[in-house]
Amino acid sequence: MLDLGLTVVHHLLVFGLAIMLAMELAYLRADPVPVVRLGRLDGGYGAAATLVVLVGIARVVWGAKGWIAYQDNPWFWAKLGTYLLIGALSAAPTIQFIKWNRALKADSAFHPAAAEIARAAMWVRLEVLLLFLLVGFAAAMARY
C-alpha cells in the first residue's frame, strides 16, 4: 500500500509541475506580466520539483521494486538526467523572475522588457519540451 501511495503522490506532483509550467507560459504572455504572481508560482514550482525528488527517492528506497530494479535500468538514468537538466535550465527564468520582483519592489511602475520576457519564455518552453521527453523515459523505464 505504501508503494501505491508513493506512486500516486509522485505522479500528482509531476502533473502539478506540468500545470505550473503551462501557467508560467500563460503569465509570460499576459500584458502586463503579473510579476508577483509569476514569482510565487515559480516558488511553488521549485517546491513541487523538490518534492518530486524526495518522493522519487522514497519510491526507490521503500517502493515495491527497490533499488535493484532501477540501478541497471538505462531509462531510469535517462529520466533522472533529463530531470536534472530541467532543474538546471529552470534556474535562468527563476533568476529573471527574482530580478523582476526586486525591480517591482523598487519601482511600482516596473514592467519587464519584451526581450527579457521572450528569453524567460524560451527557457520555460525548453523545460516543457524536456518534460515530454522525461515522460517517455518514464514509460520506457516501467517496461524495462
Side-chain angles (χ1 to χ4, degrees):
M1 197 55 131
L2 176 63
D3 182 62
L4 176 61
L6 290 171
T7 302
V8 168
V9 170
H10 191 72
H11 285 89
L12 288 174
L13 286 166
V14 172
F15 292 144
L17 290 179
I19 291 166
M20 286 184 254
L21 286 174
M23 289 177 66
E24 283 190 5
L25 285 173
Y27 283 165
L28 288 166
R29 286 189 203 114
D31 187 24
V33 171
V35 172
V36 174
R37 275 195 228 162
L38 185 57
R40 288 182 184 148
L41 176 61
D42 195 61
Y45 173 78
T50 301
L51 288 172
V52 166
V53 170
L54 294 175
V55 173
I57 290 169
R59 288 186 70 196
V60 168
V61 173
W62 295 299
K65 292 182 180 181
W67 171 244
I68 291 173
Y70 297 98
Q71 68 183 0
D72 294 326
N73 186 328
W75 302 111
F76 169 75
W77 295 106
K79 177 182 155 186
L80 185 61
T82 302
Y83 192 80
L84 293 173
L85 179 58
I86 291 169
L89 294 177
S90 76
T94 295
I95 291 167
Q96 192 64 67
F97 302 156
I98 291 168
K99 287 180 181 178
W100 291 348
N101 269 286
R102 288 182 181 157
L104 184 62
K105 285 181 184 171
D107 176 9
S108 62
F110 170 78
H111 294 288
E116 291 177 348
I117 295 168
R119 194 173 319 111
M122 181 218 34
W123 287 113
V124 175
R125 282 188 202 99
L126 188 53
E127 289 177 64
V128 171
L129 180 66
L130 288 171
L131 193 59
F132 285 121
L133 186 62
L134 184 143
V135 169
F137 289 150
M141 183 184 91
R143 284 152 184 78
Y144 183 76

